[in-house]
Amino acid sequence: PVPGYKIGIVFNVHRTGAAKMKYLLSLLCILVVMVSGEAGCLELKDKVTVFGYFEPQFAFQEIDGDYQQLASYKLRVDLEASLSEKVTFQANFDYLTYHGRTTYFIFDFLSDEVTETLPPGSRDIYLYTFEDETFLDNAFIKIAFESFDVTIGKQQISAGVGYAWNPTDLFNQKSILDPSYEQPGHNAVRIDVPLGTSCSFMLLYNPEKDYEESGKYAKIKCHLGHFDLSIMGGERLWTTTDYELFSSVQERRKIVGGDLSGELLGLGIWLEGAYNDLEVTGHYTEALLGFDYTFESGLYLLNEFYYNEQGKDDHEEFNFNDWMHYFSSETKTVTQDQWFFYVSYPATDLLTVGTSVITSLDDQSLVLVPTINYNLDDNCDLSIFGNFYAGQEGKTYSPLLGQGGLIRLRYYF
């Protein structure tokens, strides 16, 4: 409900920041001894690179006639170490605190037609609270063998070629207001195998309590002329929730799909699609078409059209579960057909201005997201986002979702 944020489950590591850092450095010492054959860890400081960023962020939006404020402060600390010629280690911790209005009523963002089916007094039940977090976002070791690479640990899993949506992504969902923001890490074992000079094969295993519940993902990618072609398939345990009855169904979600990206007549062009089969709730398809172009002046244009069979093409059919599935990232959209347009222009060497327009082609509602990115210093960036909804109450992009904006400062070290 706040720009750049969605309802979701956050994995918290129950160690203090100092304890986690000490634990990780001890682990690095062990790896250095095992891999490099050194007697101790005195040279560890020469092997480890520490970097990261500090990110203050201020969000404001109109909710039920009043402007509400939420500030957050994020410190991200990254570690990177080359333990030998064949072994590398990377990790990062996130320390995140929230201030201001941190608890929101879901009903404030929905129309009366959607919430009137719920029992009286339900408003106080459906809440979302931003809580301070300290967590290990990524920590993995990569081992390069002669004919393949293995990556083990909590790592980012990126899939697809789309900018705003990725039909072939089984593990992540982007924020539509800020699609380029970093994605969380996932526990996985990944194997990458080059197949000649133009193809590669990737196999990924996402372990859970047993093999049946674990995620599996495989992709083959080939370079063909001016295009890259990928074919993928996978499965993982998926939870579908009934937020009215407070019940959920765990089912196996299987997916097959692919993507194509390259250049055609000076245009960057990409296609992506997937077929999803859920063993209890049914099946659906997703498809995406995108293209972009950069003019000599630096003006950049991007368009994406996205179809999600899981959505609905009539906003009058939206119900409470549809919205909650969207807020909790169980589905990518509530509407079926969407268009994403982005334009940016480098006004100066340090200043870039732009605007995104996200439109539901089914109910003609839209959200306008103007952006300003300014490089204050070599290591400091300022970003300003607005979000202005234009649509009748109950439509996909209704002003009930909160007119407002976000100011973000990021300092790299």
Side-chain angles (χ1 to χ4, degrees):
V2 176
Y5 294 87
K6 285 274 185 77
I7 294 175
I9 299 172
V10 178
F11 172 71
N12 289 294
V13 179
H14 298 289
R15 289 178 180 264
T16 65
K20 285 188 292 186
M21 188 69 74
K22 182 177 179 182
Y23 173 80
L24 184 58
L25 290 175
S26 298
L27 178 60
L28 275 174
C29 286
I30 295 172
L31 290 172
V32 168
V33 172
M34 293 177 61
V35 176
S36 302
E38 299 182 21
C41 296
L42 295 179
E43 298 183 14
L44 181 61
K45 63 181 185 299
D46 298 324
K47 294 179 177 290
V48 179
T49 302
V50 180
F51 56 98
Y53 62 79
F54 175 62
E55 183 183 86
Q57 186 168 269
F58 177 74
F60 55 94
Q61 63 184 144
E62 182 186 12
I63 302 175
D64 198 22
D66 295 323
Y67 271 91
Q68 307 293 333
Q69 300 177 164
L70 174 67
S72 65
Y73 301 96
K74 178 179 179 180
L75 176 63
R76 182 182 178 97
V77 179
D78 293 82
L79 303 178
E80 187 174 296
S82 295
L83 304 181
S84 73
E85 292 183 359
K86 296 183 178 180
V87 181
T88 57
F89 177 84
Q90 294 184 36
N92 67 266
F93 298 101
D94 285 0
Y95 307 84
L96 187 58
T97 64
Y98 293 99
H99 310 270
R101 180 172 178 181
T102 57
T103 298
Y104 294 82
F105 295 94
I106 301 299
F107 277 34
D108 289 341
F109 303 93
L110 302 176
S111 67
D112 293 339
E113 288 76 11
V114 170
T115 60
E116 66 184 4
T117 60
L118 299 171
S122 297
R123 182 178 186 273
D124 295 336
I125 298 175
Y126 297 97
L127 304 172
Y128 181 70
T129 300
F130 290 89
E131 297 180 343
D132 295 350
E133 304 168 31
T134 302
F135 60 97
L136 181 67
D137 195 18
N138 295 281
F140 60 88
I141 186 170
K142 184 174 183 178
I143 307 171
F145 293 93
E146 185 175 346
S147 56
F148 62 94
D149 295 338
V150 177
T151 306
I152 304 170
K154 196 173 185 187
Q155 57 193 281
Q156 289 187 338
I157 303 172
S158 299
V161 294
Y163 178 73
W165 302 278
N166 292 113
T168 61
D169 196 334
L170 191 58
F171 298 94
N172 306 293
Q173 180 167 312
K174 297 176 178 177
S175 164
I176 192 64
L177 300 183
D178 191 7
S180 61
Y181 200 79
E182 62 202 27
Q183 297 295 320
H186 300 273
N187 178 33
V189 178
R190 172 175 171 162
I191 300 174
D192 290 280
V193 184
L195 303 175
T197 58
S198 59
C199 294
S200 63
F201 175 72
M202 186 268 283
L203 182 65
L204 185 140
Y205 184 67
N206 173 224
E208 296 295 342
K209 70 178 184 179
D210 57 37
Y211 179 80
E212 292 297 322
E213 294 190 4
S214 297
K216 302 96 177 175
Y217 192 88
K219 180 174 74 174
I220 185 167
K221 181 177 180 179
C222 292
H223 181 72
L224 305 172
H226 295 288
F227 289 88
D228 291 323
L229 172 66
S230 296
I231 300 173
M232 55 75 61
E235 68 173 20
R236 67 175 298 196
L237 195 66
W238 195 256
T239 301
T240 302
T241 308
D242 188 320
Y243 288 92
E244 296 185 26
L245 301 178
F246 297 100
S247 63
S248 62
V249 173
Q250 285 196 319
E251 53 188 331
R252 186 174 291 105
R253 176 186 170 189
K254 297 181 179 180
I255 181 173
V256 292
D259 58 62
L260 178 72
S261 62
E263 185 176 322
L264 181 65
L265 301 177
L267 285 175
I269 187 169
W270 55 94
L271 304 166
E272 186 176 345
Y275 173 82
N276 295 266
D277 181 61
L278 287 84
E279 59 184 355
V280 177
T281 55
H283 57 82
Y284 64 94
T285 58
E286 297 174 77
L288 179 142
L289 166 65
F291 57 90
D292 65 359
Y293 187 78
T294 302
F295 294 86
E296 291 185 4
S297 63
L299 179 68
Y300 175 72
L301 301 176
L302 179 148
N303 283 272
E304 275 193 352
F305 298 90
Y306 172 65
Y307 170 76
N308 180 11
E309 190 180 9
Q310 207 175 24
K312 294 178 178 177
D313 58 8
D314 185 351
H315 71 277
E316 294 184 355
E317 296 180 3
F318 293 164
N319 58 44
F320 185 70
N321 272 319
D322 294 332
W323 283 106
M324 291 299 292
H325 290 159
Y326 174 62
F327 290 152
S328 61
S329 300
E330 291 182 29
T331 185
K332 294 183 177 71
T333 58
V334 291
T335 187
Q336 206 168 76
D337 303 283
Q338 295 218 108
W339 172 39
F340 182 97
F341 171 75
Y342 175 68
V343 56
S344 69
Y345 180 73
T348 70
D349 290 340
L350 303 177
L351 175 67
T352 301
V353 295
T355 298
S356 298
V357 182
I358 306 104
T359 305
S360 167
L361 299 177
D362 298 314
D363 61 26
Q364 289 77 54
S365 63
L366 62 86
V367 56
L368 180 69
V369 186
T371 59
I372 298 175
N373 294 288
Y374 184 67
N375 181 227
L376 293 172
D377 189 66
D378 289 343
N379 298 314
C380 190
D381 295 327
L382 173 68
S383 300
I384 301 174
F385 302 79
N387 52 278
F388 304 102
Y389 295 91
Q392 296 177 0
E393 185 173 312
K395 289 190 174 183
T396 306
Y397 297 114
S398 160
L400 286 175
L401 293 176
Q403 313 282 32
L406 181 147
I407 302 172
R408 176 188 297 154
L409 188 69
R410 180 177 286 189
Y411 177 76
Y412 297 91
F413 57 84

